[in-house]
Amino acid sequence: MEMDTETRHEKQAAAMRYFVEVADLLEANGVPCPILSAAGTATAFWTGSNPRITELQLGSYAAMDDYHYLMEPSFKKATSAVVTVISKAQGPRRPQPWQEDFGAADVGNIPAYPRIVGYEQLVPYRFDEEHATYDADASCPLKVGDVVGFHLGYTPFAVNYFDAYHVIENDKVVDIWPILPRGPLHGGLLNMLEKDH
């Protein structure tokens, strides 16, 4: 995904021109195109303003993370984790690296990475699959055992890891969203796919 807003808008506009031209050509030759589905979280508003587009393919905004938020801050961050500080060390090489029990995926050379709620200014030192390590000086009040919130850097990959999402509001489960076709409510789709392969 293009992080530069102007370049992303130019690419989106070019893609939509081509897409609509193809649809118009198909319809002129007797192939109806009643649904034109396009866009993504980072291009939603531009594409949505095109009167020819009938459906928007927004997915990532439902689990809005730092990666997508940096491109489209109109959507609020929607996903966070609760993590625990598991170590804090002092050494001559780095001021006070401390570690949490949460890993991160590398999303390339972009400024999107997991940020600690209330301590967003802390700079990450290293990310591993299960742990995140940050640099903090002596003024940082966090200590081993502290539980903190975590803004996630990139979340779309996490959706397909679960059978369902439990939606919580005011400490109460208000809904359950099955992840199809992974979860138990896949309606036989997985069985059909297995027969085809």
Side-chain angles (χ1 to χ4, degrees):
M1 183 66 71
E2 177 59 56
M3 295 299 291
D4 181 75
T5 301
E6 186 174 331
T7 303
R8 186 169 69 256
H9 195 182
E10 290 173 0
K11 290 182 176 182
Q12 175 272 341
M16 288 304 98
R17 280 193 300 273
Y18 179 72
F19 184 44
V20 170
E21 285 173 6
V22 170
D24 288 344
L25 181 61
L26 288 169
E27 290 188 334
N29 286 277
V31 180
C33 299
I35 298 174
L36 294 185
S37 181
T41 297
T43 59
F45 296 102
W46 299 325
T47 304
S49 66
N50 187 324
R52 294 283 276 121
I53 303 303
T54 60
E55 179 182 80
L56 296 178
Q57 299 176 20
L58 307 186
S60 299
Y61 87 100
M64 197 68 177
D65 52 39
D66 266 22
Y67 174 67
H68 293 90
Y69 179 79
L70 289 171
M71 292 183 283
E72 187 45 77
S74 298
F75 296 118
K76 294 181 180 178
K77 294 180 186 178
T79 308
S80 63
V82 178
V83 298
T84 304
V85 178
I86 61 171
S87 70
K88 185 173 182 179
Q90 293 183 356
R93 193 170 65 85
R94 305 201 68 90
Q96 279 193 30
W98 56 270
Q99 197 170 59
E100 296 178 317
D101 63 342
F102 190 81
D106 179 13
V107 293
N109 296 321
I110 62 169
Y113 54 80
R115 290 173 168 83
I116 301 105
V117 176
Y119 300 90
E120 287 83 0
Q121 76 283 1
L122 289 179
V123 177
Y125 167 57
R126 175 176 161 171
F127 292 122
D128 298 308
E129 289 187 17
E130 300 88 3
H131 304 101
T133 306
Y134 291 80
D135 280 341
D137 61 26
S139 67
C140 182
L142 291 173
K143 58 188 182 303
V144 173
D146 283 351
V147 175
V148 293
F150 216 46
H151 294 302
L152 303 182
Y154 191 76
T155 58
F157 69 89
V159 174
N160 63 309
Y161 288 180
F162 302 95
D163 288 342
Y165 272 9
H166 291 74
V167 183
I168 299 174
E169 187 175 347
N170 297 323
D171 296 325
K172 181 178 180 182
V173 176
V174 295
D175 204 357
I176 297 176
W177 298 345
I179 306 302
L180 304 176
R182 177 182 169 86
L185 300 177
H186 57 73
L189 180 58
L190 289 181
N191 297 336
M192 291 167 52
L193 292 173
E194 288 173 0
K195 288 178 183 176
D196 291 340
H197 295 287

